[in-house]
Amino acid sequence: MNEMILAESIYVKQSKSTLGTGSTFKEKNLETFWFPKKIENGLVELCLVTNDFQRILGISETVSVERFEQEYSAKDDSHEMYMHLKNSLL
């Protein structure tokens, strides 16, 4: 079985959010940034990263590889940020 390999990058998850009702209703596109911690048994473990890419927050998410491939994409030119965060975990 081919095992998925994670790029050494920060991953972006795009989602939609709604605020308010009636005349105050607004729909927003949200971007959250995630540090890929590990992939094992068809699951990907991710940790939420601050918007300035300086810290990994204590919020994590585990998703299936299939869902990961659909909802997350590697952020362009984020290898250096990934390495900084990886080194901060050591």
Side-chain angles (χ1 to χ4, degrees):
M1 177 167 129
N2 289 339
E3 194 66 30
M4 182 179 147
I5 298 173
L6 295 172
E8 291 186 330
S9 298
I10 301 298
Y11 282 83
V12 180
K13 180 180 180 183
Q14 304 267 342
S15 56
K16 291 189 181 213
S17 176
T18 58
L19 300 169
T21 60
S23 64
T24 62
F25 177 82
K26 290 185 181 180
E27 189 170 78
K28 296 269 186 182
N29 289 325
L30 298 176
E31 278 189 338
T32 51
F33 303 100
W34 298 86
F35 177 87
K37 195 168 180 182
K38 68 179 176 179
I39 183 168
E40 189 173 79
N41 299 324
L43 298 173
V44 180
E45 185 179 347
L46 303 142
C47 296
L48 188 63
V49 176
T50 58
N51 287 347
D52 62 3
F53 309 109
Q54 297 302 307
R55 292 185 309 122
I56 295 175
L57 300 172
I59 300 169
S60 64
E61 182 169 287
T62 302
V63 298
S64 68
V65 169
E66 294 82 16
R67 184 172 160 206
F68 178 80
E69 289 174 333
Q70 292 171 353
E71 297 180 8
Y72 296 80
S73 60
K75 179 171 173 40
D76 292 336
D77 300 324
S78 64
H79 178 74
E80 188 174 315
M81 292 177 272
Y82 169 88
M83 294 307 292
H84 168 74
L85 292 170
K86 182 178 178 180
N87 290 332
S88 72
L89 289 175
L90 302 176

